[in-house]
Each structure stands twice: as structure tokens, then as C-alpha cells.
């Protein structure tokens, strides 16, 4: 089955043997009747399993060319389950330019449990090997990164992971499986904040993991059930509904992203635009090799790097809503220095490129002419 068919049908055959409903029913139930102890029809208790969630988990697995999908109450709950595979004394090599919430979970919760994290620049993926030792159990990669749109070579990271018998997990939130399928490139675990592009309508918070290996799936399922950070049936239904249009939404996100990136690139008041589709992007060739297109996430800096001017621009934008999050049908803007990255000291954030005037855009699927006109009136001539 090709990807555009999978978004609609992947893992979704015969979801309702009772009435043949085309969409999986919302099984809004916590428990299931048993004819005799243990005599159930495949579901006992909705933390352990729920038919609506099971349909979604099959859909996740199908999209990522995996075998097993797991759905969680948020992206961070999914990451939390991956870290719970580890034990005190274990080490993790992680990209340094990663989602702030992942960084907070790693450093403020799991470092206290005796897990050591090495945060390194991975634009040259071969650097990873310098930080791998016999205690290393996990390599954590996010690509493209947030908000600098760095690209990390998943195949190169996978080769290092295989050589040292370490798990490679890829946060595929920004790219989505429409653009990039990390399991095909050698990763062991794919993670999503399904809150973003997979759901696509800014109405659900959810996380996902997909793997191929049965033993790894069993361990993650044990953690999912034992820790209990599952999502509910209503949210599972909304996610299934969102996924059905992932391919058409992503196609438009990419088209609009290209238009907006090129518009900004040619604007006299703009200093720099970060978007992997430009040939001048330092890892453009890797992006071209591992992604099918370049997506709708763009960051840019205005000339003079003026903090107040950046704030003025995001306040003046009308169609781009100033808000946290990304990946919905509507365009959003964000100012990392005062929003997502405000807790990082200026010197630290500037080292990775998060300067005062950096603005991040999640380009939605509105008409590109309207988006460009909105940027024009906000940035000025
Ligand atoms: C939002 C996000 C997360 C966290 O997901 P939640 O659903 O908000 O818990 C993780 N990684 C990336 C890249 C994200 O954008």
C-alpha cells in the first residue's frame, strides 16, 4: 500500500465487525464484561487496551512502516516511556538542539534518577561516536531540529547505533512520515508529538511510538500499561480522523512553506532564513536524501537582530496566530527567545542560533498569497 492510501486505510480493515461502520467506533468504556474470569473478547481494561486506541496504534505503525504502534497521552509521555527502558548508570547521547520539553524531562527528571545525558551538535553525525561508550544505551535524534531547522543524518546515526548495539530513537514530529520514515533508515524507535502534524487540527494532545522489533514492543507495551500514560478513546478517534488527511495537508504545508521561505529570503529587511529546502542550508544534501520534501517549518531573523522589532512583527501578524505549538492547518508564529526558549540563558541560546530577533513560523494550509501579504504588512518595506 502506498503512503497516500495508508493514511486512510492503514491498519483499519474490519474495525467494526458488529455494524461495519467505516470509522472505528469510540469505545468510551473503562472495562469489558467477561463470561468467566479471563473470558473476554480481547480487551479487559482500557489502560491495558481499548479498541479505538488499538485502531489508532495500528494506523501509527502503518504510517511509519513499523510493526507495532503505541499511543500515549502526550508526546512527552511517549518520550518518558522510552527513557524508562534505561537504568541508573546508563548513558544517552542526545542532540543539543532539541525540543525544550524533552530537554527538561531528560535533565530535570531523569538525571536525578542516575541517567547521564550528553547533549551534542549532530550536524556532523559522526561526532556521535565520540560520546558512545559501554554505558551508552540510547541515541536520541530530532531532525529537523526546533527552531534552527538543523538536519541530522539518520542513516549515519543508525550505523553508529548498530555498531555499538545501542538503540536509536528519532523524534519525527517536524518531518512526519509523509516526509521521512526513520525506521526505513535504520532507527529502532520513532517518536511523535502527534499533537502537531499527525493530528493536524490543534485539538488533541497526544504522543506515539512505533517500532519493528517484537521484544522492544513488548517492553514498551509493559511500560505503557505499567506507567499508565495512555490516551482516551475520544482523542484516539480525533487522531484517526486527523491522520486521514495527513498527506494532502503535508503537500500543501510543503508548497506554502516553499513560497514563504523564498519570499522571506528575498526580503530586504531579513538577515537569514532557516529552511532545509535552500541549497545554501549546510545539510541540504542530507535533507534531500532522507526527506521527500522540506516541510512548512521556517525560522528567520530580521536585519539588526532587534528584540523589540521581532515582538512588533509577531504582534502585527494577523493570519499567523502568535501561539505555542505547530503543525496545525492554521499558520502560527512564535518568538523563541521570549517563549519556548525564555528559560535558557541568552548566552546559551545564542550559541545554538536562537538570537533575539529569531521568529519561527509554522506555515499552515491557507492561501499562500494571503500568508505572504500578512508577512508583508507585519515586516514592512
Ligand atoms: C511538541 C513536541 C514534543 C512534545 O510533545 P507534547 O505532545 O507537547 O507532549 C516533542 N518533540 C517535539 C519536536 C515537539 O514539537
Amino acid at each position: 500500500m502506498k503512503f497516500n492510501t495508508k493514511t486512510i486505510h492503514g491498519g483499519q480493515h474490519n474495525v467494526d465487525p458488529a455494524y461495519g461502520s467505516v470509522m472505528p467506533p469510540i469505545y468510551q468504556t473503562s472495562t469489558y464484561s467477561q463470561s468467566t474470569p479471563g473470558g473476554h473478547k480481547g480487551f479487559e481494561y482500557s489502560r491495558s487496551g481499548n479498541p479505538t486506541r488499538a485502531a489508532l496504534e495500528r494506523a501509527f505503525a502503518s504510517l511509519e512502516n513499523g510493526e507495532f504502534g503505541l499511543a500515549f497521552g502526550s508526546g512527552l509521555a511517549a518520550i518518558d516511556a522510552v527513557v524508562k527502558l534505561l537504568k541508573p548508570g546508563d548513558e544517552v547521547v542526545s542532540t543539543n538542539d532539541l525540543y525544550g520539553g524533552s530537554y527538561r524531562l531528560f535533565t530535570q527528571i531523569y538525571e536525578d534518577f542516575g541517567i547521564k545525558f550528553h547533549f551534542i551538535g549532530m550536524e556532523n553525525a559522526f561526532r556521535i561516536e565520540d560520546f558512545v561508550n559501554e554505558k551508552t544505551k540510547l541515541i536520541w535524534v530530532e531532525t529537523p531540529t526546533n527552531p534552527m531547522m538543523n538536519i541530522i543524518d539518520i542513516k549515519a546515526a543508525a550505523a553508529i547505533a548498530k555498531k555499538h548495539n545501542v538503540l536509536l530513537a528519532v523524534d519525527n514530529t517536524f518531518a512526519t512520515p509523509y516526509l521521512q520514515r526513520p525506521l526505513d533508515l535504520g532507527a529502532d524507535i520513532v517518536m511523535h508529538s502527534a499533537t502537531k502534524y499527525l493530528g493536524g487540527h490543534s485539538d488533541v494532545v497526544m504522543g506515539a511510538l512505533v517500532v519493528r522489533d517484537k521484544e522492544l514492543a513488548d517492553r514498551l507495551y509493559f511500560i505503557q500499561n505499567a506507567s499508565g500514560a495512555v490516551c482516551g478513546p475520544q482523542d484516539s478517534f480525533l487522531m484517526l480522523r486527523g491522520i486521514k488527511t495527513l498527506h494532502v495537508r503535508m503537500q500543501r504545508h510543503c508548497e506554502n512553506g516553499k513560497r514563504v521561505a523564498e519570499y522571506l529570503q528575498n526580503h530586504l529587511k531579513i538577515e537569514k532564513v532557516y529552511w532545509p529546502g535552500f541549497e545554501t542550508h549546510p545539510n541540504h544534501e542530507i535533507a534531500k536524501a532522507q526527506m521527500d520534501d522540506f516541510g512548512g517549518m521556517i525560522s528567520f531573523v530580521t536585519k539588526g537582530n532587534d528584540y523589540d522589532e521581532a515582538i512588533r512583527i509577531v504582534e502585527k501578524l494577523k493570519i499567523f496566530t502568535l501561539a505555542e505549538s505547530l503543525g496545525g492547518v492554521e499558520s502560527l508564529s512564535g518568538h523563541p527567545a521570549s517563549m519556548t526558549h525564555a528559560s535558557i540563558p541568552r548566552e546559551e541560546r545564542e550559541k545554538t542560533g536562537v538570537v533575539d530577533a529569531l521568529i519561527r513560523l509554522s506555515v499552515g494550509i491557507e492561501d499562500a498569497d494571503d500568508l505572504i501579504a500578512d508577512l508583508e504588512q507585519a515586516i514592512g518595506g
Side-chain angles (χ1 to χ4, degrees), residues 214-277:
K214 171 84 168 75
E215 199 187 316
L216 182 57
D218 287 346
R219 286 168 69 201
L220 288 167
Y221 172 72
F222 178 83
I223 292 167
Q224 182 197 39
N225 183 42
S227 289
V230 295
C231 54
Q234 181 84 37
D235 282 356
S236 300
F237 175 87
L238 282 171
M239 187 56 57
L240 276 163
R241 175 171 150 141
I243 285 171
K244 284 185 192 286
T245 55
L246 177 65
H247 54 309
V248 282
R249 285 186 285 110
M250 284 309 293
Q251 187 183 353
R252 184 64 66 84
H253 282 297
C254 291
E255 285 167 16
N256 285 0
K258 184 168 194 287
R259 284 276 310 275
V260 168
E262 284 170 354
Y263 162 79
L264 291 170
Q265 180 85 327
N266 292 321
H267 198 295
L268 291 174
K269 288 186 76 177
I270 306 290
E271 176 76 36
K272 189 152 175 52
V273 184
Y274 297 92
W275 183 64

Side-chain angles (χ1 to χ4, degrees), residues 74-76 99 142 171 173-174 191 193 195-196 205-206 326:
S74 70
L76 281 171
Y99 179 71
E142 191 180 310
D171 182 337
T173 300
F174 268 40
M191 174 264 152
S193 171
T195 313
K196 316 293 169 52
V205 172
M206 191 182 285
L326 60 111

Side-chain angles (χ1 to χ4, degrees), residues 79-81 83-84 104-117:
I79 301 173
D80 183 75
V83 185
K84 283 185 174 133
R104 181 178 55 197
L105 177 70
F106 292 166
T107 56
Q108 295 193 42
I109 298 198
Y110 282 106
E111 273 184 358
D112 286 350
F113 285 15
I115 295 167
K116 185 166 174 191
F117 294 85

